[in-house]
Amino acid sequence: MIVARSLKTMESFICLGEVCHGFLFLLMRRLAMNIKSLIKSGLLIIAVCFFALISFEASAYYVDTRDPVTNELLERVYKDDVTDKTTRINTYVYDGTGANIRTNYTRQDYDASEVITQSRAYAYNESNQVSDYVDTRYSGGSVDTAYAYSGYVYHDNGTRESYTRTDTDSNGDTTRVYTEARDESNVRTSYDWTTYDATSGNSTRNYNVTANSSGQTTAVVDNRYDGSGNLDITYTYDGYTYHDNGTRESYTRTDTDSNGDTTRVYSEARDESNVRTSYDWTTYDATSGNSTRNYNVTANSSGQTTNVVDNRYDGSGNLDTTYAYDGYTYHANGQRATYTRTDSNGDGDTTATRSYDYNDEGTITAQAGDTYDAATGNKTSDYSYGYNGEGARTSYDRSNYDATTGNKTRDYTYGYNDAGTRTSYDTQYYDVATGLQTRDYNASYNDSGQATDVVDARYDSSGNLDRTYTYGGYVYNDEGVRTAFDRSDTDSSGRTTATHAYGYNDEGTRTSYDRSNYDATTGNKTRDYTYGYNDDGTRTSYNSQYYDSATGTMTRDYDASYNSSGQATGVVDARYDEDGNLERTYAYSGYTYHENGIREAYTRTDTNADGSVTRIYTETRNDGNIRTDYEWTTYDPNTGESIRTYGTDYDDNGQRTAVTDVRYGDDGGIDSYVEYRYDSEGNRSIYSRYTRDGSGNLVITLWEGQDLEEQIKNITGFYYDPERGSFLPKYGTLPPVVVE
């Protein structure tokens, strides 16, 4: 038998007036009291009619299912509607014994489109206690996450003793398992959870907690796993103690790696107000077990730090450095006001001290410090910083000292604007032995921190001004990149000795450099330099002129060009006499290079003032930069005829293998030809000299011990060798041989 009942007053029923309202109430009451008599009297039909009227506008109702014989309740279903849309369905299942003991309960929630969003399913034991529970969450009507509670156990007094919760994703893969236990007073005494990678099923973390009968934690083990499910790190919390008021007093945490080796131990203490009054941690090298660092902090009852000791250890576990913080004071509002830090080495020798000051807003207002030599105890530096109310640095002063003599070696002074940008910098250097100043460097900067002027003064060993470099003319582009500046050099009397001009592109790469040197006494220019560069900073040209310091007359003009790799491609070196007239020129050309950048070959041509060639020189080198050949020939500048040719050959190791010396006569013919040959050890093995006597006969001079017939064959071969080129064809047939 199924009976439906309204759970809420309906708008249409209200419109019938108070009489209908009373009649309906009476009817529903009689329906509940005696359904059989209502059926006989025909009132059931009236009830159904009124139910139809009610349900037309109803927003909630339930349907009971009862045993047709005993009329005992078996199931009750609640349904909520909003504008005819189902939003929730609750279903209760009973054991049908008449005691109305619930065995199951389900609930489904739906959105406005009647798409399920969540479902809950409960199962109960015979004591009406939850035995299982599944909470399923949906996305777009499909399962997104499910939480399954199972294994419920209860104490005799009915309180829950333990249960397990298993979380799964949309694919049904387990992502987390949680268990907990409680005592008969419902105090949780332990809980444990493990997370899993849904894809591989490997554990990612396990967290286990135990507690005492007051619910206070007594131990925690937190295991972390790597991507393969292997144990990676373990954090173990134990040694928990508690104050009488129940607040935690202390505990210890020990970190271990996958091998169980300790890597860190942490402990802390708190007072009864739960204010941390101290904590301490030590890190360890997992392999050796040696300490690497210990950090200890104490605090007052307000939780404000009063002391810190930070010990650092070397690889053998020996104390290396200690940083001790103390002297803490605080403003009335609790902000830190001051503290000091003292650094010491492993032997306890002080190496540095520092002090800090802050305003009541926590902004630093001052900082100062000293450093010391551990061996002598002498101060090696002192410094101080100044700040404005916003914490921006306004000044920085520092002095350095020699550890042995104690003499000052350097002073620094920095100035800053309110934005913390450096506006000035001055430093002085001092001789460590005498204490005399050796250098004074002073620079000023604009509000963007860009240099505007620099003066760099240098002093001699007696402390007297020796020279000064003055920088100015700084130019910056819109991005703040320096594109130009110049420098002027002066001597101790302020006389200019050199000027420099630098140019850069928008990327900050140098594109030009011009320099001029001057004689300090006469003021005459002694040299000009001009460098040209491409956009990547590679030198493409270089020109330099030299001048006589007394007359200012140019004595030399050197001009060179380079390829994109910075390798010389051509050089012209012109020399001038004392009157400034061109005297001679050396022109270098024909440059070639190996793949590794080593110069392979070049030619130098010398000319006189008239441009006539007087000498040509060539040289070749291998890729190891070893000279393998060179040759030079001198010429008569009037006739252009060769005068002498001298050449040397080398092997790849730079060992000389042959020397050739050829002298030419007035008629252009060869007067003499001398050739030396050398063995692999550099010893001369063959010596030959060919000369013409007064009658034009060829005279051959052999090194004693050489085979005459073989030498003549060499001459004959030489006579017909077109590559060597020789004077022998001038005489037709082989002339007489004279052996010396």
Side-chain angles (χ1 to χ4, degrees):
M1 181 181 296
I2 299 175
V3 177
R5 292 181 177 172
S6 171
L7 300 178
K8 189 174 182 183
T9 303
M10 300 70 69
E11 181 180 351
S12 60
F13 183 70
I14 294 173
C15 294
L16 293 177
E18 294 298 328
V19 177
C20 293
H21 183 279
F23 177 75
L24 178 60
F25 178 80
L26 206 35
L27 177 63
M28 296 301 290
R29 183 178 179 186
R30 292 191 64 187
L31 177 63
M33 291 174 60
N34 194 344
I35 191 167
K36 290 183 179 179
S37 62
L38 284 174
I39 293 174
K40 293 180 180 179
S41 63
L43 289 178
L44 180 59
I45 298 175
I46 299 174
V48 173
C49 291
F50 272 95
F51 172 74
L53 177 63
I54 295 167
S55 63
F56 181 74
E57 293 291 341
S59 60
Y61 63 90
Y62 66 85
V63 177
D64 285 347
T65 300
R66 294 178 176 273
D67 187 290
V69 177
T70 64
N71 197 37
E72 297 299 338
L73 181 63
L74 299 178
E75 181 182 76
R76 173 169 289 175
V77 178
Y78 289 87
K79 185 173 183 181
D80 292 349
D81 284 352
V82 177
T83 61
D84 296 332
K85 301 291 186 181
T86 299
T87 58
R88 180 184 297 174
I89 297 176
N90 295 335
T91 303
Y92 298 87
V93 179
Y94 299 87
D95 63 355
T97 63
N100 286 342
I101 296 176
R102 187 168 50 185
T103 59
N104 294 91
Y105 162 56
T106 61
R107 167 180 164 176
Q108 293 90 34
D109 294 341
Y110 300 84
D111 63 16
S113 301
E114 294 190 292
V115 176
I116 191 168
T117 59
Q118 184 178 0
S119 68
R120 302 171 180 84
Y122 296 84
Y124 300 87
N125 60 23
E126 59 186 10
S127 300
N128 205 27
Q129 298 165 321
V130 174
S131 59
D132 293 285
Y133 165 47
V134 178
D135 181 1
T136 305
R137 312 294 174 88
Y138 298 83
S139 175
S142 299
V143 174
D144 182 53
T145 308
Y147 308 103
Y149 299 76
S150 61
Y152 282 89
V153 178
Y154 296 88
H155 293 287
D156 292 340
N157 65 355
T159 59
R160 188 180 64 211
E161 181 178 3
S162 63
Y163 75 94
T164 298
R165 184 184 111 181
T166 303
D167 303 348
T168 55
D169 61 13
S170 58
N171 297 317
D173 296 318
T174 299
T175 58
R176 187 173 186 264
V177 175
Y178 172 89
T179 62
E180 75 167 40
R182 292 175 179 266
D183 62 18
E184 293 181 345
S185 301
N186 200 31
V187 174
R188 187 169 64 175
T189 56
S190 68
Y191 68 91
D192 181 281
W193 55 259
T194 303
T195 55
Y196 299 88
D197 178 75
T199 303
S200 64
N202 293 329
S203 300
T204 58
R205 186 179 181 185
N206 172 255
Y207 194 83
N208 181 278
V209 179
T210 57
N212 59 25
S213 58
S214 299
Q216 299 166 325
T217 299
T218 56
V220 177
V221 178
D222 184 1
N223 291 315
R224 311 293 178 92
Y225 301 86
D226 62 21
S228 300
N230 301 311
L231 182 62
D232 186 40
I233 302 172
T234 298
Y235 305 108
T236 303
Y237 302 75
D238 56 14
Y240 285 89
T241 61
Y242 296 87
H243 294 287
D244 292 340
N245 65 354
T247 59
R248 187 179 66 208
E249 182 179 11
S250 63
Y251 77 93
T252 299
R253 184 184 112 181
T254 303
D255 303 349
T256 55
D257 62 14
S258 58
N259 297 316
D261 297 317
T262 299
T263 58
R264 187 174 186 263
V265 175
Y266 171 90
S267 62
E268 73 168 44
R270 293 175 178 266
D271 62 18
E272 293 182 345
S273 300
N274 199 32
V275 174
R276 187 169 65 174
T277 55
S278 67
Y279 68 91
D280 180 280
W281 55 260
T282 303
T283 55
Y284 299 88
D285 177 75
T287 302
S288 65
N290 293 328
S291 301
T292 58
R293 185 179 181 186
N294 171 255
Y295 194 83
N296 181 276
V297 178
T298 57
N300 59 26
S301 59
S302 298
Q304 299 166 325
T305 298
T306 56
N307 292 93
V308 176
V309 178
D310 184 2
N311 292 315
R312 311 291 178 93
Y313 301 86
D314 62 21
S316 300
N318 301 311
L319 182 62
D320 183 57
T321 307
T322 297
Y323 306 107
Y325 302 77
D326 55 14
Y328 286 88
T329 63
Y330 295 87
H331 294 286
N333 64 353
Q335 287 284 356
R336 183 178 58 190
T338 63
Y339 76 91
T340 61
R341 179 182 125 181
T342 303
D343 303 349
S344 56
N345 61 16
D347 296 324
D349 301 316
T350 299
T351 57
T353 60
R354 296 170 173 83
S355 64
Y356 303 84
D357 293 79
Y358 301 83
N359 61 23
D360 58 7
E361 295 179 350
T363 303
I364 191 168
T365 58
Q367 178 184 347
D370 304 300
T371 60
Y372 300 88
D373 178 72
T376 63
N378 291 331
K379 183 166 64 173
T380 56
S381 73
D382 57 54
Y383 68 91
S384 64
Y385 293 92
Y387 302 86
N388 62 19
E390 285 71 44
R393 185 182 297 174
T394 56
S395 65
Y396 168 44
D397 298 320
R398 173 174 177 151
S399 297
N400 291 349
Y401 303 88
D402 179 71
T404 303
T405 65
N407 289 334
K408 185 183 292 186
T409 59
R410 191 174 178 186
D411 279 328
Y412 308 77
T413 300
Y414 295 81
Y416 303 85
N417 61 20
D418 286 340
T421 303
R422 183 175 62 176
T423 56
S424 64
Y425 167 61
D426 185 67
T427 182
Q428 295 84 34
Y429 297 79
Y430 303 90
D431 183 87
V432 64
T434 64
L436 295 175
Q437 188 178 35
T438 60
R439 184 182 180 188
D440 186 358
Y441 183 93
N442 186 279
S444 58
Y445 305 85
N446 60 25
D447 288 340
S448 299
Q450 300 164 328
T452 56
D453 296 285
V454 176
V455 177
D456 186 2
R458 309 296 177 92
Y459 298 83
D460 61 22
S461 59
S462 299
N464 300 313
L465 180 64
D466 183 51
R467 61 193 183 278
T468 302
Y469 306 115
T470 303
Y471 300 77
Y474 287 91
V475 179
Y476 301 88
N477 64 16
D478 292 340
E479 285 72 42
V481 177
R482 185 183 63 189
T483 58
F485 75 93
D486 54 57
R487 182 183 113 186
S488 176
D489 304 347
T490 55
D491 65 8
S492 58
S493 300
R495 296 173 298 191
T496 299
T497 57
T499 59
H500 311 256
Y502 300 83
Y504 302 84
N505 62 19
D506 288 339
E507 283 72 44
T509 303
R510 184 185 296 179
T511 55
S512 65
Y513 168 50
D514 298 327
R515 171 176 174 170
S516 295
N517 291 350
Y518 298 87
D519 182 272
T521 303
T522 64
N524 289 332
K525 185 183 293 187
T526 59
R527 190 173 178 186
D528 278 330
Y529 306 77
T530 300
Y531 294 82
Y533 303 86
N534 61 18
D535 286 340
D536 63 9
T538 302
R539 183 174 61 176
T540 56
S541 63
Y542 167 65
N543 180 260
S544 181
Q545 294 86 33
Y546 298 77
Y547 303 90
D548 183 271
S549 61
T551 64
T553 303
M554 184 165 66
T555 59
R556 183 181 180 188
D557 186 359
Y558 184 93
D559 188 81
S561 58
Y562 304 85
N563 60 24
S564 59
S565 300
Q567 300 165 325
T569 56
V571 176
V572 177
D573 185 2
R575 309 296 176 92
Y576 297 83
D577 62 20
E578 60 185 11
D579 296 322
N581 299 313
L582 180 64
E583 189 174 46
R584 60 191 182 278
T585 301
Y586 307 111
Y588 299 77
S589 61
Y591 285 92
T592 60
Y593 297 88
H594 294 284
E595 291 182 357
N596 63 356
I598 298 295
R599 187 182 66 206
E600 182 180 15
Y602 76 94
T603 298
R604 187 184 101 183
T605 302
D606 303 348
T607 56
N608 60 15
D610 298 327
S612 299
V613 176
T614 59
R615 188 171 186 260
I616 294 178
Y617 172 92
T618 61
E619 177 186 279
T620 59
R621 291 175 177 266
N622 62 22
D623 57 9
N625 200 29
I626 296 175
R627 187 164 60 178
T628 57
D629 175 75
Y630 83 87
E631 180 180 283
W632 54 260
T633 300
T634 55
Y635 297 88
D636 186 315
N638 298 315
T639 64
E641 295 291 339
S642 300
I643 298 176
R644 182 182 180 187
T645 297
Y646 187 90
T648 304
D649 295 333
Y650 302 85
D651 62 21
D652 286 339
N653 296 316
Q655 178 66 50
R656 184 171 54 181
T657 59
V659 173
T660 303
D661 187 0
V662 181
R663 312 292 177 95
Y664 299 90
D666 294 338
D667 59 356
I670 297 178
D671 281 346
S672 68
Y673 177 96
V674 177
E675 182 174 346
Y676 299 88
R677 300 276 181 167
Y678 299 85
D679 60 24
S680 59
E681 297 179 355
N683 300 313
R684 189 169 65 180
S685 59
I686 298 178
Y687 163 67
S688 304
R689 186 175 71 185
Y690 312 95
T691 59
R692 275 192 308 190
D693 61 16
S695 302
N697 294 320
L698 179 64
V699 178
I700 301 176
T701 302
L702 301 179
W703 191 18
E704 185 176 0
Q706 289 182 206
D707 183 81
L708 176 60
E709 183 178 354
E710 183 65 27
Q711 184 64 24
I712 293 174
K713 289 181 181 179
N714 288 338
I715 296 173
T716 304
F718 180 71
Y719 177 82
Y720 291 106
D721 188 349
E723 293 183 1
R724 300 285 296 269
S726 72
F727 59 88
L728 294 181
K730 292 179 178 293
Y731 309 112
T733 60
L734 186 66
V737 176
V738 177
V739 179
E740 296 181 355

